[in-house]
Amino acid sequence: MKIDPDKKIDLSAQIANAIRDAIVSGDMIVDERLPSEAELSDQFQVSRPTVREALKRLAAQSLIRTQRGATGGAFVNRLRYEEAYGQQVTTSTLLLSMNEVSFDVACEARYALERACAPLSAERRSPDHLATMRAEIHRQAQPGLSDESFCASDVTFHRALVDGAGNPVLSYQLAGAVEAMQPLMNMITFTARSREAIVGLHTRIADALEAHDAGGADQALVELEAYTLTLGRDVMAARAKG
Amino acid sequence: MKIDPDKKIDLSAQIANAIRDAIVSGDMIVDERLPSEAELSDQFQVSRPTVREALKRLAAQSLIRTQRGATGGAFVNRLRYEEAYGQQVTTSTLLLSMNEVSFDVACEARYALERACAPLSAERRSPDHLATMRAEIHRQAQPGLSDESFCASDVTFHRALVDGAGNPVLSYQLAGAVEAMQPLMNMITFTARSREAIVGLHTRIADALEAHDAGGADQALVELEAYTLTLGRDVMAARAKG
DNA sequence: GCACTCAAAATGTCAGACAATTGCGGACGG
DNA sequence: CCGTCCGCAATTGTCTGACATTTTGAGTGC
C-alpha cells in the first residue's frame, strides 16, 4: 500500500483506491483508526489537500467516518444496512432514469424479486409486518389520497412484504429494486377503479401471508404484476398519443 | 440550490448533497457541464479546495466525471451498469463481511434471487449464455483446479444464468448478491466428490435452460442450494471443533 | 477531590500560487 | 485559399502555508 507513480489518474484516486483495497481485503478492520492526514501525506509523499480529497472519496462511500478533536481522525466505518440502502436506492434510481429502462423491464425485475421473497415471507412474517401491510392497505383505500402518497404507501407495503422474509441481505438487495421503481410508478394516475383493484390484490397478498399460504401470495403477485403492467402501458400509450 | 448555513456537517458534504440532489431530481441532465470550480466556489461562497472535496465525493459515486483542459470541467456522468456493478459488489461484500452475516442467510438470499431469474432465463437464454455455462462446467470438471478458481468459475456460471434472463435491472441487482458470496464460498474446501455433485447439478441446470424447462431448472437450483448449505455447515462445524 | 483552564492534536477551511493539460484561434507559409 | 504550427487562455491537479474549530486530557488552583 505505497504505490503512487506518475500514472494518468489522480493521486487522490490512487490513494483512495489503495486505502479502499486495504479495507475490503481486511487489512484494516472496523473502527481502526487511519493515520492522520499529516502522516498520510508524509507516507504517500503528497500534500495534505490531496490526502483530504482521497479521504472524502472514501467518506462518500461510507467506508470511513471522520471525527474532529484531539482523539479524532478517520476511522474504518462499519457499513450498516441503513447507509447501504440509501446508496443502493440512489444508484438504482439513477440507473433507471439515465438508461432508458422501460417500465416493462423494471416492473418485471421488481416482481421477479418480490416473488422470490414471498415464500419466505409467508413462512416467517411477524405480526408487525402484517400490521404494517394492513395499515397501508387501509391508507390506500382512503378516498382523498394523492397519487404520490398512494405510491409511497405502495412502497411501504411492499417493503413490509420483503422484510417479512427476515433476511437482511434480501431486504438490502430488494430496497433498490422496489424504491427505484417509485419515480416510474409516480407517472401513473391511479383512478378510483384501479386503486380498488390494487387494494384488493394487496389484501389477498396480506391474507395469504397471514395464512402462511405461499402459493396464494405468489398468485396474487403475478396478477398484481400483470395489472401494474397494463396500467403502465396505458400511460405510455396515452403519452405517445397526446 | 444555495444552502450553506452554519450547520454542523462539512461544507463539502453539504455542497455535494446539493449537487447530488440536482442530478437525482433531474435538474441537471446527463453530460451537462457543471460550473467550473472557481465559479462554484464563488456561488457557494467557499474556497476552491472545499468545492474540490465536494466534487471528489460526487466522483467517488460516479455521479460526475472530470476532464482537464480548456473545454474541461465536471460533467454529469451517465451511470453505466458496469460502474454500478463494481460499487454494488464492493458494498455487498463489505456488508457481508462487517455484519457477521451467516453463511445460511447469504446462501438463502442468493438462491432465492437466482430462482427468481431461472424462469425468465429458461425462456430467453441465448446460445451465448448456454455456451458460457457449458464452458464453465467443463472447467469445473478439470482435476487440477484450485478452490479459488473453482469458486470463480462458479460465479461466472451463475452470472451467465442470471444474464440469461435478459433483464439488465435483474442482472445489476443480482451481481452484488452472487459476487459478494464468493469470499464466503472461498472458505469451502471442495473435495473431488463435492465438485462432482456440483458439476452434476450445474449440468442439470444448463440442460433445463436449454430445454426451456423452468421447473427443472428451479428444482436443480433447490437441490444445489441444499447441497451448498450442507457444505457450508460442514465447514462451520469443522471450524468450531478444530 | 473537584472544577477550571489551557495546551495539544486533529480535522475543517481559506488564500494564493504554480503545474499540467487541452482546445481554439491567429499567424505564418505554401 | 488552405493547412500547419504556435501560443494563449481556461480548467483541473497539486502544493504551501496559514488560521479556525473542536475535542481530549493534563495540569493547576482552590
Side-chain angles (χ1 to χ4, degrees):
Chain A
M1 174 164 148
K2 58 190 185 300
I3 330 162
D4 274 19
D6 332 85
K7 289 274 183 65
K8 304 197 177 164
I9 61 174
D10 302 11
L11 290 175
S12 68
Q14 289 185 53
I15 294 170
N17 286 339
I19 298 175
R20 172 175 53 77
D21 289 346
I23 295 174
V24 173
S25 71
D27 283 355
M28 305 202 67
I29 62 172
V30 165
D31 292 335
E32 184 174 341
R33 184 179 175 282
L34 276 73
S36 72
E37 295 174 355
E39 289 171 310
L40 285 173
S41 61
D42 204 51
Q43 180 176 334
F44 285 110
Q45 290 289 303
V46 297
S47 68
R48 204 180 137 218
T50 302
V51 167
R52 282 182 61 79
E53 288 180 7
L55 293 180
K56 295 312 169 198
R57 295 179 112 109
L58 298 171
Q61 298 174 287
S62 303
L63 291 178
I64 62 170
R65 64 176 186 279
T66 55
Q67 188 183 332
R68 291 174 76 166
T71 60
F75 299 84
V76 178
N77 191 37
R78 155 160 277 128
L79 192 55
R80 297 179 191 288
Y81 284 107
E82 308 89 58
E83 301 169 82
Y85 281 159
Q87 292 177 305
Q88 248 260 295
V89 171
T90 300
T91 305
S92 300
T93 304
L94 283 173
L95 263 180
L96 258 53
S97 67
M98 286 181 173
N99 288 279
E100 299 163 1
V101 173
S102 72
F103 188 86
D104 289 15
V105 168
C107 201
E108 174 179 279
R110 172 186 168 172
Y111 282 100
L113 296 172
E114 279 196 42
R115 285 175 60 198
C117 294
L120 296 169
S121 199
E123 183 186 340
R124 303 180 192 155
R125 86 291 176 285
S126 73
D128 253 14
H129 297 128
L130 288 174
T132 300
M133 293 188 216
R134 301 291 187 196
E136 295 303 328
I137 290 174
H138 185 257
R139 184 195 313 264
Q140 290 159 18
Q142 300 290 325
L145 207 64
S146 71
D147 281 346
E148 283 74 17
S149 300
F150 187 84
C151 281
S153 170
D154 186 72
V155 168
T156 305
F157 175 88
H158 285 277
R159 286 211 45 172
L161 187 164
V162 169
D163 289 340
N167 187 315
V169 178
L170 266 183
S171 293
Y172 160 69
Q173 297 286 349
L174 270 284
V178 173
E179 301 215 10
M181 273 289 289
Q182 192 165 4
L184 287 174
M185 296 290 291
N186 273 334
M187 305 187 317
I188 299 178
T189 305
F190 292 99
T191 62
R193 189 145 166 279
S194 63
R195 289 191 188 192
E196 193 182 335
I198 291 173
V199 167
L201 286 165
H202 282 176
T203 304
R204 273 180 56 195
I205 292 171
D207 289 347
L209 293 184
E210 184 158 15
H212 299 291
D213 173 14
D218 188 72
Q219 182 57 35
L221 277 170
V222 169
E223 292 177 35
L224 184 55
E225 175 178 2
Y227 188 70
T228 305
L229 215 45
T230 62
L231 285 180
R233 284 183 175 154
D234 286 350
V235 170
M236 297 304 163
R239 180 165 302 188
K241 200 182 303 177
Chain B
M1 176 165 147
K2 56 185 187 303
I3 334 156
D4 274 16
D6 331 85
K7 290 272 184 64
K8 308 213 171 149
I9 62 174
D10 302 12
L11 290 176
S12 69
Q14 289 184 53
I15 295 171
N17 287 339
I19 298 176
R20 174 175 51 79
D21 289 346
I23 295 174
V24 174
S25 71
D27 283 354
M28 306 201 67
I29 62 173
V30 166
D31 292 335
E32 183 174 342
R33 185 180 174 280
L34 276 72
S36 72
E37 296 173 354
E39 289 172 310
L40 285 173
S41 61
D42 202 52
Q43 181 177 332
F44 286 110
Q45 290 289 304
V46 298
S47 68
R48 203 179 138 220
T50 302
V51 166
R52 282 183 60 79
E53 288 179 8
L55 293 180
K56 294 313 168 198
R57 295 179 112 109
L58 298 171
Q61 298 173 285
S62 303
L63 291 178
I64 63 170
R65 63 177 185 277
T66 56
Q67 189 184 336
R68 291 173 76 165
T71 60
F75 299 84
V76 178
N77 191 37
R78 154 159 278 127
L79 193 56
R80 295 177 193 290
Y81 285 107
E82 308 90 56
E83 301 168 84
Y85 281 159
Q87 293 177 304
Q88 246 261 296
V89 171
T90 300
T91 305
S92 300
T93 304
L94 283 173
L95 263 181
L96 258 54
S97 68
M98 285 180 173
N99 288 279
E100 299 162 2
V101 173
S102 73
F103 188 85
D104 288 15
V105 168
C107 202
E108 174 179 277
R110 172 185 168 172
Y111 281 101
L113 295 172
E114 279 197 44
R115 285 174 61 197
C117 294
L120 295 169
S121 199
E123 183 186 339
R124 304 180 192 155
R125 87 290 175 284
S126 74
D128 253 15
H129 296 129
L130 288 173
T132 300
M133 292 188 216
R134 301 291 185 194
E136 296 302 328
I137 289 173
H138 186 257
R139 186 197 311 266
Q140 290 157 19
Q142 299 292 325
L145 206 64
S146 70
D147 282 344
E148 282 75 18
S149 299
F150 186 84
C151 281
S153 171
D154 185 72
V155 168
T156 306
F157 174 88
H158 286 276
R159 287 212 43 173
L161 186 164
V162 169
D163 290 340
N167 186 316
V169 179
L170 266 182
S171 292
Y172 160 70
Q173 296 287 349
L174 271 283
V178 173
E179 299 214 12
M181 274 288 291
Q182 193 165 5
L184 288 173
M185 295 289 290
N186 272 334
M187 304 187 319
I188 298 177
T189 306
F190 291 98
T191 62
R193 189 146 166 282
S194 64
R195 289 191 188 192
E196 194 181 334
I198 291 172
V199 167
L201 286 164
H202 282 176
T203 304
R204 273 180 56 194
I205 292 171
D207 288 347
L209 294 183
E210 186 158 13
H212 298 291
D213 173 14
D218 188 72
Q219 182 57 35
L221 277 171
V222 169
E223 292 176 34
L224 184 55
E225 175 178 1
Y227 188 70
T228 306
L229 216 45
T230 62
L231 286 180
R233 285 184 175 154
D234 287 350
V235 169
M236 297 304 163
R239 179 165 303 187
K241 200 184 300 175

